[in-house]
Amino acid sequence: MREIATVIDIAATPERVWEVLTDLPRYEEWNPFIRHASGTAAPGRRLKLRVFPTGRRPMTFRPKVKAAAPAEELRWLGRTVLPGLFSGEHRFVLTDLDGGGTRVVQSEKFTGLLVPFLRRSITATVTDFESLNKALKKRAETAHRP
């Protein structure tokens, strides 16, 4: 198992951050990492995500939503066709900060037989998470509502 995590504070309510995170069709307008997204952020539903990792080829995958607690947590699980080979559980946890902001922790837990062989790619993903965080902050802090 390997886990990576990033943190950012956003000057917007958890509800506003949630609104941006779950408006999947608009990801192409602001998200540098997950540039195309569709589906419904609801437990048991599948999403279709196209990610553009830095220095690597774009990938499309169809993770299953495991949790979607409004203004609190969005979590999905993506995996290879063969169970046990490689999977990633991606999480956005939103915490209401006293004073009117939101702390967002974006993390992913990787499991499976391929994890030791993908250590470098997994570590490089931190940069993509940080880019997404900065773009999410900018989008959520703007007055314009999608």
Side-chain angles (χ1 to χ4, degrees), residues 45-145:
R45 301 292 297 267
R46 288 222 178 258
L47 306 177
K48 184 176 181 184
L49 307 176
R50 183 131 173 99
V51 298
F52 289 74
T54 303
R56 291 172 281 153
R57 293 192 318 189
M59 297 176 282
T60 300
F61 63 104
R62 297 186 52 84
K64 187 173 189 176
V65 177
K66 303 305 262 180
E72 293 178 14
E73 178 188 25
L74 177 59
R75 180 168 37 99
W76 62 68
L77 179 65
R79 62 170 57 145
T80 57
V81 177
L82 296 172
L85 200 55
F86 185 78
S87 64
E89 185 175 70
H90 196 105
R91 292 181 75 194
F92 292 95
V93 176
L94 286 58
T95 304
D96 191 4
L97 299 174
D98 292 335
T102 304
R103 175 160 294 144
V104 177
V105 177
Q106 180 182 185
S107 64
E108 189 146 0
K109 186 186 317 178
F110 300 94
T111 57
L113 295 172
L114 292 179
V115 169
F117 304 102
L118 298 172
R119 187 171 298 281
R120 185 175 292 146
S121 292
I122 291 169
T123 301
T125 303
V126 170
T127 301
D128 296 318
F129 281 16
E130 289 169 346
S131 295
L132 189 158
N133 288 353
K134 289 175 188 172
L136 174 62
K137 177 180 175 71
K138 182 177 179 182
R139 181 78 170 193
E141 290 178 352
T142 59
H144 169 33
R145 304 271 190 226

Side-chain angles (χ1 to χ4, degrees), residues 8-23:
I8 194 164
D9 290 345
I10 298 175
T13 65
E15 291 77 15
R16 171 63 180 150
V17 175
W18 180 259
E19 177 185 334
V20 174
L21 273 179
T22 58
D23 190 1

